[in-house]
Amino acid sequence: MGYNFGTSYSTKEWDAARGSTDLDAILFGLEDNALLTEFGCGTDGNNTFTLHINTSSTVDDTAYTRNSAWRKAYRFINRFDLGTINMDQRINGKLDKQSTYKVSRSFAKNTVSFEVPIDHKPPCRFPLHDSSNPTGSRPLVEMIYSMTLLAGTAGDLLDDPISNWSIGSTGLQLIENSTPESIEFTLLKSGTPPFQKIDTSTSIVPAYSGEILSFQDAGYMENVQEGGMKIFIDITQTDEVLRWDPETDIKPEEYWLDTFSSIQVKNDNRRSFPKITFKKNTLEVVSNDKDNYVVSFHNDTATIPVSKWLNGDTIRTEFKRKKTIVFGDNRAPWDGSVYENIQYRSLNDEFQDDPWVQAPIEPPIETGACCINGVCEQKFEVECGQLGGQFFGVGSTDCTDCGDDGGNESSEILPFTITLNGTLDDGTVTINYPSGFNATGITFEVYIEKDPDLS
């Protein structure tokens, strides 16, 4: 299978060695339940590729709607590290070159025409229509990875119209992790000491249970001026929020708090530094939006050793004694769902969607202000036109210069004519104003004076 830069195709045709046959069938197999259905070459710019995960979706002409929760991609990102990828390059159809690249998790640089789970450095994205990618898109969640040349003659993966790429003989290396209860990121400090923000140089690796750090004004975590420190956690993709109906009075964070004993932050590269523990009773809700549910925790005594944490360090946030709802139990926590210690589900079940009560979608506003005979009311545009009114746009609420007695108002004198029906002694004088306008605040006084020469 050959790829031009920027294109993505099914992984069914891959003929590279990727490990065991069983694993191949689960990840890239010929069945519809293959977990990774497409590979994108350079789909987020130079030296990038994307893995497109099996996604439930709705297609309306050229528009796509995502029906799988982001949690599905979060699970894969947490479960698998990608070690290396081997790719072949064919130039003008003649010369074969081969290189091996180190693979790192990355974040979407191009988010125009895509939906993303978080605003800051999202690890995945979903196309909103079939042309979101320049060479075309399918309705699949795309996970973004970067490539760094390790060895070989093919060189960097760049936008080169004369090159064609394919997966090489040693294929794509996947490494299964053993930390489903952890969020991790590669540290990137920004700003000027001592007011540096805690950011990431790659992307946040979510917990398998759906938690991910939330980037706020001061970063993912901050030292508080009054003392201590805070950490910000997005729990939108957890069981508790995914299964929560926002139309109810239930507070999902209260049920989520029961799924762990405490939160611990540590620097994996500097084990001599003390771990920072956050107690559950310090929780505060930052945002309770169904699609952006963020909480914070506070430690009154500990602070982030910003000057001692170095860029490139791996910072881990661990949920101690973490539990999740048993796979296959689709009940909500408040309806009696059963929990167990967190663990990776069977690989055969990774393609399954997570239960998700979607937030009610507000119907689009199709009516607007319509002025008919001096009355401003809400009408559909077609209806307004049929009734001879003036439409002020979809979603508008006010009519401009719409009089109460018919037509549009104008406080300025407009060109008019006068007609006489009958005689001056016994007749009617009519002032003819422009059609559709009323003379608002204008008084017409008619003086009739006989010409002495004509009397």
Side-chain angles (χ1 to χ4, degrees):
M1 170 59 68
Y3 298 89
N4 292 322
F5 187 91
T7 63
S8 57
Y9 294 106
S10 170
T11 57
K12 291 181 181 180
E13 307 302 323
W14 278 15
D15 56 3
R18 295 178 299 268
S20 71
T21 302
D22 289 342
L23 183 60
D24 278 0
I26 292 169
L27 296 178
F28 315 101
L30 298 177
E31 304 299 326
D32 291 337
N33 61 352
L35 185 61
L36 301 176
T37 60
E38 283 190 6
F39 173 88
C41 176
T43 36
D44 197 49
N46 293 337
N47 294 315
T48 69
F49 68 87
T50 49
L51 294 178
H52 302 185
I53 200 165
N54 190 320
T55 308
S56 300
S57 56
T58 302
V59 178
D60 183 7
D61 193 17
T62 62
Y64 299 153
T65 301
R66 175 180 55 88
N67 296 326
S68 294
W70 295 112
R71 170 80 168 275
K72 192 172 196 174
Y74 282 14
R75 285 192 274 113
F76 181 88
I77 293 169
N78 175 277
R79 184 167 186 165
F80 290 102
D81 284 333
L82 273 62
T84 60
I85 188 170
N86 182 249
M87 295 190 73
D88 296 336
Q89 180 187 29
R90 182 175 290 274
I91 302 174
N92 287 329
K94 297 179 180 180
L95 179 64
D96 283 324
K97 295 183 177 182
Q98 186 179 81
S99 287
T100 300
Y101 304 84
K102 177 185 177 183
V103 177
S104 300
R105 299 180 184 90
S106 189
F107 53 88
K109 314 296 194 301
N110 177 20
T111 58
V112 177
S113 297
F114 288 92
E115 179 190 11
V116 292
I118 54 177
D119 292 334
H120 185 71
K121 299 184 177 180
C124 51
R125 64 189 184 187
F126 178 79
L128 296 176
H129 46 75
D130 61 358
S131 57
S132 293
N133 285 301
T135 58
S137 300
R138 263 71 64 190
L140 301 168
V141 170
E142 304 175 6
M143 300 175 291
I144 297 93
Y145 297 88
S146 63
M147 305 162 57
T148 304
L149 182 65
L150 286 179
T153 56
D156 288 342
L157 178 63
L158 305 175
D159 188 0
D160 180 2
I162 66 173
S163 293
N164 182 267
W165 298 82
S166 62
I167 302 300
S169 59
T170 56
L172 176 65
Q173 180 189 26
L174 274 69
I175 305 168
E176 190 167 12
N177 288 316
S178 59
T179 53
E181 74 287 349
S182 293
I183 305 170
E184 67 177 70
F185 66 95
T186 302
L187 178 64
L188 174 65
K189 295 184 287 186
S190 62
T192 305
F195 305 107
Q196 288 181 295
K197 291 184 180 181
I198 300 298
D199 199 350
T200 179
S201 60
T202 54
S203 68
I204 294 286
V205 178
Y208 190 74
S209 45
E211 295 87 353
I212 193 170
L213 296 187
S214 176
F215 194 82
Q216 302 293 311
D217 290 341
Y220 294 118
M221 52 189 77
E222 65 171 331
N223 288 329
V224 181
Q225 190 171 13
E226 295 79 16
M229 63 171 289
K230 273 188 175 183
I231 186 171
F232 303 96
I233 302 174
D234 185 325
I235 62 172
T236 307
Q237 298 302 308
T238 61
D239 290 333
E240 294 70 33
V241 177
L242 284 176
R243 304 183 190 205
W244 168 61
D245 182 351
E247 298 296 317
T248 68
D249 294 329
I250 292 170
K251 296 180 178 179
E253 74 277 5
E254 295 180 354
Y255 292 85
W256 174 72
L257 277 176
D258 291 336
T259 66
F260 59 93
S261 59
S262 63
I263 298 173
Q264 195 172 83
V265 174
K266 59 183 178 180
N267 187 320
D268 274 357
N269 297 92
R270 307 181 191 285
R271 300 296 180 92
S272 61
F273 290 0
K275 301 171 183 177
I276 302 170
T277 300
F278 296 89
K279 296 181 179 179
K280 297 195 297 183
N281 61 5
T282 65
L283 176 141
E284 294 180 357
V285 176
V286 178
S287 168
N288 64 353
D289 186 277
K290 170 73 175 179
D291 296 321
N292 182 38
Y293 215 109
V294 179
V295 297
S296 69
F297 291 87
H298 184 251
N299 183 310
D300 292 331
T301 57
T303 58
I304 306 168
V306 179
S307 61
K308 296 180 180 179
W309 282 6
L310 302 181
N311 286 340
D313 287 353
T314 298
I315 308 301
R316 183 176 303 277
T317 301
E318 184 176 343
F319 297 90
K320 309 299 288 186
R321 300 175 66 183
K322 177 66 179 175
K323 295 181 181 293
T324 55
I325 295 176
V326 173
F327 174 68
D329 186 345
N330 293 332
R331 294 173 295 176
W334 39 91
D335 292 328
S337 59
V338 177
Y339 282 79
E340 64 180 357
N341 293 333
I342 190 171
Q343 58 183 318
Y344 294 130
R345 65 178 63 169
S346 163
L347 274 173
N348 288 299
D349 294 323
E350 282 290 5
F351 82 97
Q352 298 278 4
D353 285 351
D354 298 275
W356 179 25
V357 176
Q358 299 191 45
I361 299 175
E362 296 294 333
I365 299 173
E366 298 178 351
T367 59
C370 175
C371 180
I372 304 173
N373 296 326
V375 178
C376 185
E377 53 187 330
Q378 289 289 305
K379 296 287 184 185
F380 292 100
E381 183 174 7
V382 173
E383 181 186 15
C384 182
Q386 291 172 342
L387 296 173
Q390 182 183 5
F391 192 68
F392 290 86
V394 172
S396 60
T397 57
D398 298 318
C399 300
T400 303
D401 295 334
C402 183
D404 294 333
D405 55 352
N408 294 311
E409 298 181 349
S410 176
S411 58
E412 297 181 359
I413 299 176
L414 300 176
F416 63 91
T417 60
I418 297 176
T419 57
L420 174 63
N421 183 17
T423 67
L424 288 173
D425 292 325
D426 184 19
T428 303
V429 175
T430 301
I431 299 172
N432 303 303
Y433 217 57
S435 176
F437 283 88
N438 295 316
T440 305
I442 299 175
T443 301
F444 291 89
E445 296 182 3
V446 180
Y447 296 90
I448 301 176
E449 183 178 351
K450 293 184 178 180
D451 190 334
D453 296 333
L454 298 177
S455 58

